Amino acid sequence: MTACTPLPPDALYHRCNPDDFAFETTTDLEAFENMLGQGRAVEAIQFGVAVEHDGYNLFVLGPPGTGRHSFVQQFLSQKAADKPTPSDWCYVNNFEQPRQPKVIELPAGKACQFRADIRHLIEDAHSAIPAAFESENYRNRRQAIEQVVKQQHQEAFEDVRQHAIERGLDIVETETGFLFVPLRRGKALPPEEYKKLSDKERDRLQQETEPLEQELRQMMQAIPSQVRKVRQQIEQLKRDVALFAIGNLIQDLLNQYQAFPKVVDYLNNLQSDMLDNIDLLTHPNEGQDKPLMQLLAASAVDGELPTTSAMRRYSVNVLVDHSKSAGAPIVYEDTPTYPDLIGRIEHLSQMGALITDFTLIRAGAFHRANGGYLILDAHKVLTQPFTWEALKRVLKSREIRIKSLAQDYSLINTVSLEPEPVPLDVKVVLIGDRKLYYLLQAYDPEFSELFKVPADFEDRMERSVENV
């Protein structure tokens, strides 16, 4: 049986002396906006947040219940309010390399406007280009091109026929082609009369026919080349007419976004691609994959649905929108899986095959926190497959590169994307216990390079008059 140690009464209760307090009631007190009894931890957090250099991310360590999360959130909220609102980010189609979508940075709130402007451009093009092709001016110019080649064919044929007539022959069109027949008194000789000709006369006609057949053959061989030339002229005419129909629309956007070189470059490429794919705009519902459009509509996250193939090809995928933000973002990711942290490329199943494009790129926590602060639970990060290595890779490279783990590890065999990486400017705050911090410091040489600022929250507080 354990012996009990008696305690004096004054050791059982610590009485606060009211004379130590310089207030009558608590209503006279000001709000305490610091962390009571955690001076060193607070100074470390202030230092880590203030230093804008690579590697000065924070590891907040200490036991649970010390107010780590709430203080970090409160402190960062005060700092974030004074920082500028970061940029919006969006992905657009890379017409030359569709597997490598291009990323565009725009001021806060500008990405959604850019998406709406492109949508209106496509809607206007869907009506302006077909109307231009139905105009009398276009029909007359196209008819003139076709009439020229038709006249050239007729003149070439008449030249061959005239040479045949000079040799006493004529050209007759049959079901199998053209046939040279002898003439008598300006009329074609009937077959029964031809049989009555002498062998000498037949030989003479055969000799006369051979060079004419060669001439006719050369004329026929030149027709495909002429047809291609006419087709090229018609295609150029269509491009000219389409450019006239949409040129002013795109020029208005070029003037509006002239301060953003990547947008200007995209609009120029968009114009060229639209002229190369006029059928997408003149026949928006032909060749459209309706099941695919339904799948895309079901997967849409921003309310902007691709109603036509052209809308899908030229739309803008807004990755991060700060139109309703004020100051720098503070993101706490409670489930830091690899795709939730880095972002993901979604796929759609169609006819047993997995397909994707730039409209199916989704943002991760790093994208949402870019330009601000990202708070993570260290234990959750370390227990998620591939997440810790991905976190270190992003912090070292200072860019967010979305990659498909399933593709890298051959879990699926399908075409994926290689989106252009997004530059990163973020302060990461890891929150964990002391044992985890010292284990990482001992066994991961990169840890100390990336998390140079430890903020240690003590679980004991000195009972002083100031703290009381």
Side-chain angles (χ1 to χ4, degrees):
M1 185 174 181
T2 305
C4 296
T5 303
L7 293 174
D10 57 353
L12 300 177
Y13 173 69
H14 188 90
R15 181 175 180 273
C16 294
N17 185 1
D19 295 335
D20 293 336
F21 305 133
F23 59 91
E24 291 295 329
T25 66
T26 55
T27 57
D28 299 333
L29 298 177
E30 297 180 354
F32 185 71
E33 297 181 352
N34 214 323
M35 192 67 184
L36 188 63
Q38 301 288 357
R40 290 178 58 194
V42 171
E43 290 177 3
I45 293 175
Q46 292 173 339
F47 170 75
V49 172
V51 176
E52 299 290 342
H53 294 289
D54 294 348
Y56 283 85
N57 299 292
L58 292 91
F59 193 108
V60 178
L61 59 150
T66 54
R68 300 169 303 173
H69 276 275
S70 57
F71 177 74
V72 168
Q73 288 272 11
Q74 175 187 343
F75 181 81
L76 293 181
S77 297
Q78 297 172 356
K79 294 297 181 181
D82 298 330
K83 295 187 68 175
T85 304
S87 302
D88 290 345
W89 294 93
C90 56
Y91 275 107
V92 294
N93 198 357
N94 184 346
F95 305 112
E96 296 180 356
Q97 298 289 338
R99 292 186 64 248
Q100 300 173 356
K102 295 183 177 181
V103 69
I104 293 179
E105 179 183 8
L106 291 169
K110 200 76 172 179
C112 286
Q113 180 185 342
F114 179 49
R115 178 179 61 192
D117 289 339
I118 294 296
R119 187 175 184 86
H120 294 153
L121 169 67
I122 305 305
E123 290 174 349
D124 293 342
H126 273 314
S127 58
I129 291 181
F133 288 157
E134 293 173 1
S135 65
E136 184 177 356
N137 177 54
Y138 170 74
R139 290 198 299 268
N140 291 340
R141 293 173 64 182
R142 177 166 182 159
Q143 186 177 359
I145 295 173
E146 294 172 345
Q147 186 63 34
V148 168
V149 71
K150 184 177 180 181
Q151 184 176 352
Q152 290 175 346
H153 291 167
Q154 186 65 31
E155 291 175 354
F157 181 78
E158 288 299 328
D159 288 343
V160 177
R161 187 181 184 191
Q162 187 61 38
H163 294 161
I165 291 174
E166 293 173 358
R167 290 173 170 79
L169 300 169
D170 197 2
I171 304 176
V172 178
E173 185 176 0
T174 66
E175 294 180 355
T176 59
F178 292 97
L179 180 66
F180 288 94
V181 298
L183 292 174
R184 180 173 293 177
R185 299 185 185 89
K187 294 183 179 181
L189 190 67
E192 58 273 11
E193 293 294 330
Y194 179 78
K195 294 179 182 180
K196 297 178 182 180
L197 296 176
S198 64
D199 294 341
K200 183 178 180 180
E201 183 66 16
R202 290 181 182 180
D203 292 341
R204 186 190 68 81
L205 292 173
Q206 182 64 31
Q207 292 176 358
E208 295 287 350
T209 301
E210 289 179 357
L212 294 173
E213 288 178 343
Q214 179 68 19
E215 186 177 355
L216 180 62
R217 190 178 301 111
Q218 292 177 351
M219 185 207 76
M220 299 297 292
Q221 290 174 346
I223 289 178
S225 175
Q226 295 172 343
V227 170
R228 284 195 299 270
K229 191 176 298 184
V230 170
R231 188 182 298 117
Q232 292 172 357
Q233 292 177 355
I234 292 177
E235 289 298 322
Q236 185 60 47
L237 173 63
K238 292 173 67 176
R239 289 176 65 91
D240 293 342
V241 172
L243 180 60
F244 179 79
I246 64 173
N248 290 335
L249 301 175
I250 295 180
Q251 186 59 49
D252 290 343
L253 291 181
L254 286 170
N255 295 336
Q256 183 177 344
Y257 291 94
Q258 60 181 344
F260 310 105
K262 294 199 72 171
V263 176
V264 172
D265 182 61
Y266 171 71
L267 290 173
N268 289 326
N269 292 334
L270 179 145
Q271 177 176 283
S272 299
D273 191 80
M274 289 175 68
L275 297 180
D276 291 336
N277 298 275
I278 296 176
D279 289 343
L280 288 178
L281 300 164
T282 54
H283 305 93
N285 297 320
E286 289 186 9
Q288 179 174 309
D289 195 335
K290 293 183 179 179
L292 176 60
M293 291 301 173
Q294 293 173 354
L295 287 171
L296 289 170
S299 67
V301 295
D302 51 22
E304 297 289 342
L305 307 183
T307 54
T308 65
S309 297
M311 198 70 74
R312 177 187 172 202
R313 183 177 181 84
Y314 304 120
S315 62
V316 176
N317 179 11
V318 177
L319 201 68
V320 179
D321 171 31
H322 286 296
S323 57
K324 298 180 181 179
S325 302
I330 303 172
V331 176
Y332 171 65
E333 182 55 59
D334 187 50
T335 56
T337 63
Y338 180 93
D340 287 334
L341 204 61
I342 307 300
R344 60 169 59 85
I345 301 171
E346 296 179 345
H347 290 75
L348 298 176
S349 177
Q350 182 189 21
M351 302 297 290
L354 294 177
I355 61 172
T356 188
D357 63 15
F358 73 99
T359 63
L360 297 176
I361 301 173
R362 303 292 180 245
F366 268 118
H367 295 95
R368 298 192 300 273
N370 201 4
Y373 307 96
L374 176 60
I375 305 173
L376 300 170
D377 186 290
H379 183 266
K380 293 180 180 179
V381 170
L382 291 168
T383 54
Q384 292 293 337
F386 312 107
T387 300
W388 178 245
E389 292 300 323
L391 171 65
K392 294 191 295 181
R393 183 179 66 247
V394 170
L395 291 178
K396 286 190 294 184
S397 64
R398 306 297 295 175
E399 64 180 20
I400 314 168
R401 187 179 296 273
I402 303 177
K403 299 182 67 176
S404 171
L405 282 176
Q407 188 76 14
D408 287 348
Y409 289 89
S410 300
L411 300 178
I412 58 174
N413 186 19
T414 185
V415 175
S416 189
L417 304 178
E418 297 177 4
E420 185 179 0
V422 175
L424 179 68
D425 177 22
V426 71
K427 184 77 69 173
V428 176
V429 180
L430 281 181
I431 300 179
D433 55 37
R434 292 192 183 92
K435 181 185 293 185
L436 201 55
Y437 172 79
Y438 290 117
L439 284 172
L440 287 171
Q441 193 176 48
Y443 292 104
D444 191 337
E446 296 175 325
F447 174 72
S448 297
E449 299 177 6
L450 298 173
F451 293 89
K452 297 180 179 179
V453 183
D456 194 350
F457 276 71
E458 298 289 344
D459 54 355
R460 292 175 179 267
M461 183 190 307
E462 180 185 359
R463 186 166 189 133
S464 62
V465 173
E466 180 183 0
N467 286 340
V468 171

